Amino acid sequence: MGAMDILANLNPQQREAVTAGLGQILVLAGPGSGKTRVLTQRIAYLIQSMEVPPFHILAVTFTNKAAREMEHRLGGSLGNQLEGIWLGTFHSVCARLLRREANYLPFTSSFVIMDADDQETLVKRAVKELNLNDKLYRPSALHAAISAAKNDLVLAEDYPVRTYRDEVVSRVYKRYEEMLRTSNAVDFDDLLIWTVRLLVDNPSVRERYARRFEHVLVDEFQDTNRAQYELLMLLSSYHRNLFVVGDEDQSIYRWRGADYRNVLRFETDYPECRKILLEQNYRSTQTVLNAARAVIDRNRHRTPKHLFSDRGDGNRIVIHEAVDDHAEAAFVVDSIRQMLDAGAARGGDFAVMYRTNAQSRLVEEAFLHSGLPYRLVGAQRFYGRREVKDIIAYLRLVQNPDDEISLQRVINVPPRGIGDKTLIALQMAARQANSTPGRLLLDLGRNGEDSPHWKTFSGRGAIVLADFGGLLASWQQVRDDQPLPGLFDRVVTEIGYQSHLDDGSEEGRERWENVLELRRLAFEYAERGLVPFLENLALVSDQDTIPEQTEAPTLLTLHAAKGLEFTQVFIIGLDEGLLPHSRSLDDPEELAEERRLFYVGITRARDRLYLVRAEQRSSYGSFQDQIPSNFLRDIPDNLVQHQGQRRVQRRESMRIWNEPSSTGSRASTQLQQTPSRQPRYRINQRVRHPAWGEGLVVQSKIAEDGEETVDVFFESVGFKRLLASLANLEILS
């Protein structure tokens, strides 16, 4: 391949980037501008035209998929000329380097890399050994704090202690590191921090690698954290040929430690760097690009880009306002069906995007009722998610204690001291008694030591089984005496499921939101009861309704949409509190990230973009008014077409759920009377105030004007009475 072949079909900006000389090159690549092509062609140009041996090239990216794609493209053009190049993810490159230089490290070259489950197990052991309360100091939250520290290059011995909680994290961090070392192991974050430490502490090693890598190239530079940024600086410190490709406007992983400011920091650290903008978009129409630009231009601390396309203006953006969230989902599915029926599109042309996974539930149900296949990317189907399946299994067990599959799933979730040995003993005893494990549990729970099965188990085993059996018996009583939401709340509360799920991490919060979404559905069946509810769930979660090999519309979160593109895109939930998310409304940096997330969603669309919201959303049997997302106001009127029938009867909007589905009959859904508002905060709930820190809820009540007042004891300032709507309290447990 000659130089002309390498440069063929590149636009002027792309060619400028590929042929850039030595030094520091910052390529700011807008969405759909061909950044991967530029990066791979840059490597080819270095080898072919600048005669740089592959041995002297390091190329890093963030995902194995991206690395494989780059390697495939280069292999197709350069073949065996690539021998010796270092090309991979940050973590794979670091692992390779650490194994080579293990004699400088406190572990050997045969070290093992602990996965996420292994890491949390070690943290749990550390908590136990240090005699800490694992309810107050949850291992998952401690592990998250340790990971954040490592990404900021903070070692265990240097962990800053300002509060007692910091002291706890520091102690656990130190013990956790000791256990890693004893096991000759590292975790995922260690691969970065130990590589940086190796290069900083050993100048000879640093110089050896910095001399070797004449050219360092980086993809998705905006997603780097502090450790990754420092690593790049160290590895390029001799030749100072650093070629980075990124886009601060597409930095959407702040919660993982990514720092878009590294793009700005690069220009500060290398004031003579050459900055090249890739502004020609090959994906979208000009209307889509103009809308995206109008949204992202509101963010500060960024490089303005003027994205342009040669695909013409295209269709105006549709802003559809539905009467409620059921109608929102119905609009999406009906629109897709109409285009499919008319032969105007294929199933794979469509994507439905949303801020949180919990939002997929109504859309999934609408697809299933329409008989249209769909596929979910980046997450499990709503009813297949672990936390949803857990609660469904509990409810199935209440209804049918003989359901051994459900029993096995939840008997020790959350952990209650029923291990494998106890479970096996329970199963054997049931067989000997010609019964089922669930029936034996109920007998133990109701009769205690008077049960004929009590002496079958060890003292501790009999107690924990009887405790669980007692819960199951009490839930059956609630099932017979109270509406379904009452049973749902009893089960979730008495097993402590919120504290089990919500550990303060993004994943924990989303899992708890999924449980709340299932609770909202339970309110729709308040008068009909548990059996119809479970029958409905069985229908909806039927995997056979989704042909695996059929091209179908894609459902995914906005985070999962990064790097993908679709002919037609629906973004739903454009209401304040959803997009942007409620957690961002008081934090300018978080709000800027939400705007970037919306920008990424918009720029996934090739031809048509639909922005959909609901005037009202269902919430525990009632409907709450919604405020349109402020992001919608950023889009100029000349780019949009407004749709939607306001204030139609809500019962009509529920029609799609009331009618039999194409996959079978289904009982109609009845709307319930709006229940009286319940306090958001409960007694003994732990909360955090922005100024006063952590506190304990002493009392919370709803006044006649509908405002919730909450009394909180703060360790720092004592008792405070607050208006919940203004207090900005974060619920911790």
Side-chain angles (χ1 to χ4, degrees):
M1 178 185 287
M4 294 304 296
D5 295 324
I6 294 172
L7 304 178
N9 301 317
L10 297 178
N11 67 41
Q13 292 172 314
Q14 292 173 329
R15 185 171 297 194
E16 180 185 3
V18 170
T19 61
L22 304 178
Q24 302 87 46
I25 314 297
L26 173 62
V27 181
L28 296 179
S33 61
K35 67 176 180 65
T36 303
R37 185 180 187 191
V38 165
L39 195 61
T40 53
Q41 294 303 87
R42 170 67 174 178
I43 296 173
Y45 184 82
L46 290 174
I47 296 172
Q48 288 281 343
S49 298
M50 298 181 67
E51 298 183 347
V52 178
F55 179 85
H56 293 300
I57 296 174
L58 168 66
V60 291
T61 185
F62 274 85
T63 66
N64 291 320
K65 180 182 177 183
R68 286 194 300 268
E69 183 181 354
M70 288 176 59
E71 191 170 10
H72 177 74
R73 291 191 185 188
L74 287 167
S77 58
L78 298 178
N80 58 12
Q81 294 184 63
L82 284 177
E83 188 174 348
I85 192 172
W86 277 38
L87 193 161
T89 66
F90 274 98
H91 293 93
S92 68
V93 166
C94 287
R96 183 177 180 182
L97 197 153
L98 291 176
R99 294 195 191 280
R100 286 182 167 220
E101 310 298 337
N103 57 308
Y104 293 95
L105 301 167
F107 42 83
T108 72
S109 61
S110 60
F111 64 82
V112 297
I113 302 172
M114 296 282 189
D115 63 22
D117 289 339
D118 295 331
Q119 294 167 38
E120 193 155 328
T121 297
L122 286 182
V123 174
K124 288 178 180 177
R125 281 178 52 189
V127 168
K128 185 176 181 180
E129 290 180 13
L130 295 170
N131 294 316
L132 297 170
N133 186 337
D134 61 358
K135 304 297 183 187
L136 186 60
Y137 303 103
R138 287 170 289 182
S140 55
L142 293 171
H143 179 240
I146 293 170
S147 179
K150 289 187 176 185
N151 286 330
D152 276 337
L153 299 175
V154 178
L155 300 173
E157 57 266 30
D158 300 324
Y159 192 85
V161 176
R162 292 178 289 269
T163 66
Y164 180 70
R165 183 173 182 81
D166 291 340
E167 183 184 344
V168 170
V169 174
S170 176
R171 291 164 59 197
V172 173
Y173 189 177
K174 290 175 182 175
R175 181 63 187 129
Y176 172 75
E177 288 295 289
E178 290 171 358
M179 289 189 289
L180 284 174
R181 301 291 84 81
T182 301
S183 302
N184 193 38
V186 298
D187 63 22
F188 217 49
D189 301 312
D190 280 337
L191 295 173
L192 296 173
I193 193 172
W194 278 108
T195 303
V196 171
R197 188 173 180 179
L198 169 72
L199 299 177
V200 170
D201 294 346
N202 300 279
S204 62
V205 178
R206 178 176 67 249
E207 183 176 355
R208 179 158 31 97
Y209 283 96
R211 280 179 174 271
R212 171 176 177 166
F213 297 129
E214 294 180 16
H215 292 268
V216 178
L217 303 95
V218 189
D219 193 14
E220 303 287 4
F221 183 65
Q222 78 280 348
D223 291 333
T224 53
N225 58 29
R226 180 183 174 185
Q228 290 160 335
Y229 185 89
E230 293 295 330
L231 177 64
L232 294 171
M233 303 303 105
L234 292 165
L235 290 174
S236 62
S237 58
Y238 186 83
H239 298 283
R240 295 175 62 85
N241 295 322
L242 186 55
F243 186 97
V244 302
V245 182
D247 181 11
E248 68 264 56
D249 292 336
Q250 298 185 72
S251 179
I252 59 174
Y253 299 118
R254 184 170 181 256
W255 48 278
R256 292 182 185 171
D259 190 350
Y260 75 94
R261 293 172 297 183
N262 284 343
V263 175
L264 308 176
R265 193 172 294 126
F266 186 90
E267 295 185 71
T268 302
D269 291 344
Y270 300 108
E272 298 182 357
C273 74
R274 183 175 177 182
K275 182 161 68 176
I276 302 170
L277 304 185
L278 302 187
E279 297 174 303
Q280 183 171 356
N281 178 285
Y282 294 91
R283 175 186 302 152
S284 307
T285 65
Q286 193 63 49
T287 295
V288 170
L289 297 179
N290 289 345
R293 178 182 171 186
V295 169
I296 203 63
D297 276 352
R298 296 292 299 275
N299 271 2
R300 303 172 62 187
H301 311 302
R302 54 178 296 274
T303 301
K305 304 175 196 67
H306 304 282
L307 300 180
F308 65 93
S309 171
D310 60 4
R311 299 192 60 227
D313 290 339
N315 299 294
R316 285 193 293 173
I317 294 164
V318 173
I319 295 181
H320 183 88
E321 297 185 87
V323 63
D324 56 35
D325 45 1
H326 292 268
E328 177 185 54
F331 165 75
V332 171
V333 176
D334 287 346
S335 299
I336 293 173
R337 173 176 281 285
Q338 289 174 20
M339 283 181 274
L340 292 176
D341 290 346
R346 302 174 301 163
D349 292 340
F350 301 97
V352 184
M353 301 177 186
Y354 33 81
R355 176 62 177 84
T356 66
N357 280 315
Q359 293 172 258
S360 74
R361 195 260 300 176
L362 289 177
V363 181
E364 288 186 69
E365 288 194 1
F367 269 109
L368 289 167
H369 275 271
S370 71
L372 289 179
Y374 68 95
R375 61 175 174 234
L376 204 63
V377 172
Q380 293 177 294
R381 298 173 70 244
F382 180 83
Y383 295 108
R385 293 166 190 154
R386 184 191 75 198
E387 59 278 9
V388 175
K389 293 182 69 170
D390 285 347
I391 301 303
I392 291 173
Y394 270 109
L395 295 175
R396 286 173 54 183
L397 194 60
V398 173
Q399 181 59 33
N400 177 21
D402 296 329
D403 186 344
E404 193 166 347
I405 298 298
S406 293
L407 178 64
Q408 289 184 21
R409 180 178 185 89
V410 301
I411 194 169
N412 202 42
V413 177
R416 52 175 61 90
I418 302 177
D420 290 340
K421 290 183 179 179
T422 304
L423 178 58
I424 292 171
L426 177 65
Q427 292 169 331
M428 293 179 62
R431 292 194 191 99
Q432 292 173 359
N434 196 27
S435 184
T436 64
R439 299 290 175 186
L440 259 69
L441 275 178
L442 286 172
D443 185 78
L444 287 168
R446 290 164 178 160
N447 300 309
E449 295 184 13
D450 294 331
S451 168
H453 308 291
W454 182 268
K455 294 183 179 180
T456 305
F457 308 96
S458 66
R460 171 64 180 165
I463 292 171
V464 294
L465 290 173
D467 287 345
F468 186 53
L471 283 176
L472 184 57
S474 69
W475 296 334
Q476 288 188 323
Q477 187 66 44
V478 175
R479 174 199 65 188
D480 298 333
D481 297 339
Q482 294 184 22
L484 176 59
L487 170 63
F488 189 104
D489 289 346
R490 279 283 298 270
V491 171
V492 172
T493 300
E494 292 182 357
I495 65 174
Y497 204 62
Q498 181 176 5
S499 60
H500 174 65
L501 286 183
D502 192 357
D503 57 11
S505 68
E506 181 78 5
E507 181 184 6
R509 286 190 291 263
E510 287 212 354
R511 289 189 179 280
W512 178 243
E513 288 178 1
N514 290 332
V515 175
L516 295 180
E517 182 67 12
L518 186 65
R519 183 175 186 263
R520 282 188 278 271
L521 181 61
F523 271 88
E524 297 180 13
Y525 285 78
E527 299 300 325
R528 299 173 59 198
L530 180 58
V531 172
F533 179 71
L534 293 174
E535 288 179 353
N536 172 67
L537 298 184
L539 172 65
V540 172
S541 60
D542 189 355
Q543 297 281 346
D544 294 335
T545 61
I546 310 173
E548 293 184 3
Q549 303 301 321
T550 300
E551 189 179 59
T554 301
L555 279 60
L556 70 172
T557 66
L558 289 163
H559 283 102
K562 179 78 175 296
L564 304 177
E565 59 182 62
F566 302 89
T567 302
Q568 304 198 42
V569 169
F570 294 80
I571 302 178
I572 67 172
L574 276 154
D575 303 312
E576 288 290 295
L578 277 179
L579 185 63
H581 198 281
S582 58
R583 293 194 300 274
S584 71
L585 300 182
D586 296 321
D587 186 336
E589 284 291 338
E590 288 283 354
L591 188 60
E593 176 122 336
E594 291 290 300
R595 190 178 294 278
R596 293 193 294 270
L597 188 60
F598 184 39
Y599 174 80
V600 166
I602 291 174
T603 55
R604 300 310 95 192
R606 298 191 191 102
D607 296 339
R608 296 193 68 105
L609 175 64
Y610 301 81
L611 306 177
V612 192
R613 63 169 301 267
E615 290 190 347
Q616 297 183 317
R617 294 190 180 276
S618 54
S619 180
Y620 312 132
S622 65
F623 282 82
Q624 302 296 324
D625 290 337
Q626 301 296 305
I627 300 172
S629 171
N630 279 317
F631 293 166
L632 292 174
R633 301 179 185 178
D634 300 332
I635 303 175
D637 288 339
N638 67 304
L639 301 178
V640 304
Q641 170 187 349
H642 289 273
Q643 290 184 0
Q645 297 180 347
R646 295 176 171 237
R647 304 303 177 192
V648 302
Q649 293 293 318
R650 188 173 297 112
R651 288 187 182 273
E652 179 62 21
S653 77
M654 297 277 287
R655 173 181 51 80
I656 188 171
W657 278 264
N658 295 341
E659 293 178 349
S661 76
S662 60
T663 58
S665 62
R666 180 174 179 153
S668 65
T669 300
Q670 301 294 325
L671 289 174
Q672 310 304 323
Q673 295 294 321
T674 301
S676 59
R677 185 184 170 199
Q678 296 297 312
R680 180 186 180 195
Y681 302 96
R682 65 177 189 273
I683 296 174
N684 293 328
Q685 194 171 48
R686 294 202 66 80
V687 296
R688 180 185 288 116
H689 187 274
W692 301 324
E694 293 189 14
L696 190 71
V697 175
V698 179
Q699 179 177 285
S700 186
K701 60 183 179 180
I702 305 295
E704 291 183 0
D705 61 0
E707 283 279 8
E708 180 180 358
T709 59
V710 55
D711 294 343
V712 184
F713 177 79
F714 294 99
E715 296 175 2
S716 59
V717 294
F719 283 97
K720 292 287 184 180
R721 175 164 291 176
L722 308 167
L723 282 177
S725 60
L726 301 176
N728 195 23
L729 294 173
E730 177 188 357
I731 297 175
L732 301 178
S733 65

